[in-house]
Amino acid sequence: MQCCDKALNGQAMPTSVASALDDAGGVRGLMRRIPAEAKLKRVAGLHQSLADHTRLKILWALSNMDLCPCVLKVIADVSDSKLSYHLKVLESARLIKSRRTRNWRIYSITNEGEKALAP
Amino acid sequence: MQCCDKALNGQAMPTSVASALDDAGGVRGLMRRIPAEAKLKRVAGLHQSLADHTRLKILWALSNMDLCPCVLKVIADVSDSKLSYHLKVLESARLIKSRRTRNWRIYSITNEGEKALAP
DNA sequence: ACTGCACTTCAAATTTGTTTGAAACCACAA
DNA sequence: TTGTGGTTTCAAACAAATTTGAAGTGCAGT
């Protein structure tokens, strides 16, 4: 079986696939329903930021209360620089944000961050 | 300022953090509200599987219809082996599944996969 | 100015994930 | 049986993310 789609140039394929593809307007029709490359890359990057258990732990902690690195360090059980690295990843992804007080820095979760934890 | 929590062993910290922490039952109380390590690792792994634009494109395509690798290859615009690699990652994560027909393999999205695409 | 503390940055080492092309596999047809 | 098309597997090359420990920054108190 083959599909009439020009982009496939006579490529053989299962009958069921060929007809579903024709119904959808061929490869071009299907591709119109897929988010643009730029958006896919953005979403992929977001998932990348969440693809680490230490970062997820930090995010969960901050979903309960604002915290300074000194406490996050104990909770995540990591070294200072490691913590700092992960905080930076999360902050670049805008999942958390931070502010300064006298002696400390205080991190808090953003709306984006909250959404990322939602089931 | 410091928190009465023993796990912090006299660690200095912002007043606001100390009181929020005490209210939550200290570090132990806070940690009880954070999913277990095993679950965090599982979720992190799921995000890792989604942290690639090619895989997201495949997932979106399959959310529209079942497809064979020969068509996915055109849609994702990648080599055979590259496609196969990404399909394997998605299938191991149970975001997609596959079945055999006569000459072809047909991939389809799972419920998990659908959920992963939902906003 | 000097010190100590909280935290971040840096660059090198390490680990992990991805890409590549060649080879293998598998079902079917000739 | 041999050939062919569709697909997967493999190992090596490559790229990207993470870890490490040392050095650096900036703020307060002395």
Side-chain angles (χ1 to χ4, degrees):
Chain A
M1 187 59 192
Q2 68 178 73
C3 169
C4 63
D5 193 308
K6 279 167 189 150
L8 289 165
N9 203 229
Q11 165 70 59
M13 69 185 69
T15 323
S16 61
V17 171
S19 64
L21 205 45
D22 278 342
D23 289 350
V27 167
R28 291 186 63 90
L30 175 51
M31 286 179 91
R32 246 181 270 116
R33 304 185 193 190
I34 298 176
E37 201 71 14
K39 171 149 194 178
L40 293 178
K41 284 187 178 160
R42 200 151 28 80
V43 174
L46 190 59
H47 282 297
Q48 176 65 42
S49 306
L50 294 164
D52 181 285
H53 68 107
T54 298
R55 290 198 289 270
L56 289 177
K57 190 179 279 188
I58 291 169
L59 216 49
W60 274 102
L62 293 177
S63 79
N64 280 281
M65 65 185 74
D66 294 0
L67 290 166
C68 52
C70 56
V71 175
L72 284 168
K73 176 181 150 82
V74 173
I75 289 169
D77 189 29
V78 293
S79 67
D80 284 345
S81 66
K82 197 167 169 178
L83 177 66
S84 222
Y85 168 74
H86 288 298
L87 287 172
K88 203 165 93 168
V89 171
L90 288 169
E91 194 164 22
S92 320
R94 300 181 186 287
L95 294 166
I96 65 174
K97 58 188 197 293
S98 69
R99 60 183 190 275
R100 284 186 161 293
T101 63
R102 291 186 192 293
N103 289 316
W104 295 278
R105 185 173 282 272
I106 298 186
Y107 283 91
S108 49
I109 198 166
T110 62
N111 289 341
E112 277 290 296
E114 294 278 10
K115 272 191 268 175
L117 291 184
Chain B
M1 189 58 193
Q2 69 177 71
C3 169
C4 64
D5 193 308
K6 281 169 189 147
L8 289 166
N9 203 232
Q11 165 70 57
M13 69 186 68
T15 323
S16 61
V17 171
S19 64
L21 207 44
D22 278 341
D23 289 351
V27 166
R28 291 185 64 90
L30 175 52
M31 286 179 93
R32 247 181 269 117
R33 303 185 193 189
I34 299 175
E37 201 70 14
K39 170 149 195 180
L40 293 179
K41 283 187 177 160
R42 198 150 31 78
V43 174
L46 190 60
H47 282 296
Q48 175 64 42
S49 307
L50 294 164
D52 181 285
H53 68 107
T54 299
R55 291 199 288 270
L56 288 177
K57 191 179 278 188
I58 291 169
L59 216 49
W60 274 102
L62 293 176
S63 79
N64 281 280
M65 65 185 73
D66 294 1
L67 290 167
C68 53
C70 56
V71 176
L72 284 169
K73 174 181 150 82
V74 173
I75 289 168
D77 188 31
V78 292
S79 68
D80 284 344
S81 66
K82 196 166 168 178
L83 177 65
S84 224
Y85 168 74
H86 287 299
L87 287 173
K88 203 166 89 168
V89 171
L90 288 170
E91 195 164 24
S92 321
R94 299 181 188 287
L95 294 166
I96 65 175
K97 57 190 198 293
S98 69
R99 58 184 190 275
R100 285 185 161 293
T101 63
R102 290 185 193 293
N103 288 318
W104 296 277
R105 185 173 282 272
I106 297 186
Y107 282 92
S108 49
I109 198 166
T110 62
N111 289 342
E112 277 291 297
E114 295 278 10
K115 271 191 269 174
L117 292 183

